[in-house]
Amino acid sequence: MISAIFGGMPILLLASSLYWAFRRRPGQRPAGTLSMSAFLACFAVAFSAYAPAIRALEDSVTPDFSRLVSNSATLSAAASVASVLLYLNHDAAEARRRVRRRLQLLTTAVITMVVAFAITPNSLRWSSAELHGHLDEAPTSLHVYSAAYIAYLGYAVYDCLTQTWTRSRTATRASQRLGLRTTAVGCIFALLYTAYKATNAVAAVFGWDAVPGGPRCTSLVTPVSCAFSVTAPAIGVLLITAGLTLPVAIWPITLFLRRRWERQSITDLDPLWEDFTAVLPEIVLEPDATTDGEADFLLHRRVVEINDGILSLRPYRSLAVHQAAAREVARRNLAGTTGGDAIVEAAVLAAAIRALKAGSEPAPERAPQAPGTTARAGDLRAETVWLRSVARAYAANDVVRAAAHEVPTLETAKG
């Protein structure tokens, strides 16, 4: 299971990195795109060291070289995550300034690790010490290596956690909030791994075996050290990667669903809109050749035009029709519901359209405006949902049809 996870993860991460770097986009590439690609590529390199074949190849260069590669890539990935979040939280110029400062710290940490690794004799590195049971006798150079690694990793993960949480509180899209909070949970797992490394590093100085382990992991949680050294960072990477890519993966689906909802809304509103524009052609807005083919723009126009028509029909909103429809709605146990209110409003509008078309006098007593009109003001989606309910009732409800045909007996026709 361990081999399957760490053998497949680098391939998945590298494929995601290439997708981010080279996928076609309309217009200019968004700021932070390359940081995202670098983050995925660095994690791919970091986790490739857990694959036995790749680890053996790297260690053939010099003992424990795979650990240096993995640790350096992990720090680079942490810096890339911070870079992605900086571009989300700040304008491009400020983000670049902050990224440069973090890259300077990353460079210092990696150089320190490389130098400490290079001056440590092969016989005193980790694998030799583990083989001979002398982990508590590690040379000072390896302690320096661990200190540089842990210090930057802890700083970078905490930096990512605070930026992620800050951004999640201001994100407008639900998918973005979910993704950022998922990333924050991944950062917590990464901090757990950092705490484990820090505890082990301090314990090694004093010759104390803080978290007992073994030469290899037999599962994700055995021996105990594997839960912190392998499982925690793996879960952290998965959650951070999923969290940062989730909004992008979900966005096309969200866009498709939104477009479908807009098209369906236009279809539902058409019967009401057509009857409105037949008696009130002046409510139709001027066409816009650049945006008329877009569903969201067309829907917005439909809602505005229907609302303009409702305002124009105010003199013909019959209180008698409103009361008759309300009684019938109450008889069907729909009083006080959105559906019931929509039926009443549709009946009032149907009667008003018929009265205007027939040349009747304005209603002697006017029906009140629809419930929730003030609360929906300025909220296009809420207004669309309401008008869709009204339009459906207008097109198919028998209460509405009856109200429309009662108009000649309710209104006094012009001489």
Side-chain angles (χ1 to χ4, degrees), residues 194-274:
T194 305
Y196 160 78
K197 296 294 288 185
T199 301
N200 262 7
V202 173
V205 174
F206 297 99
W208 174 43
D209 191 10
V211 184
R216 62 188 297 271
C217 295
T218 55
S219 77
L220 293 176
V221 293
T222 55
V224 176
S225 62
C226 292
F228 302 99
S229 63
V230 175
T231 305
I235 293 175
V237 170
L238 286 173
L239 291 177
I240 292 170
T241 303
L244 291 177
T245 56
L246 183 65
V248 178
I250 289 180
W251 177 241
I253 300 172
T254 303
L255 187 61
F256 168 76
L257 294 175
R258 192 182 78 189
R259 295 296 188 219
R260 188 175 70 173
W261 180 83
E262 290 167 349
R263 289 191 295 269
Q264 186 59 51
S265 296
I266 293 169
T267 300
D268 288 347
L269 293 176
D270 269 350
L272 182 60
W273 177 81
E274 287 171 358

Side-chain angles (χ1 to χ4, degrees), residues 72-88:
S72 300
T74 298
L75 296 189
S76 300
S80 299
V81 174
S83 176
V84 172
L85 295 168
L86 285 169
Y87 278 106
L88 286 176

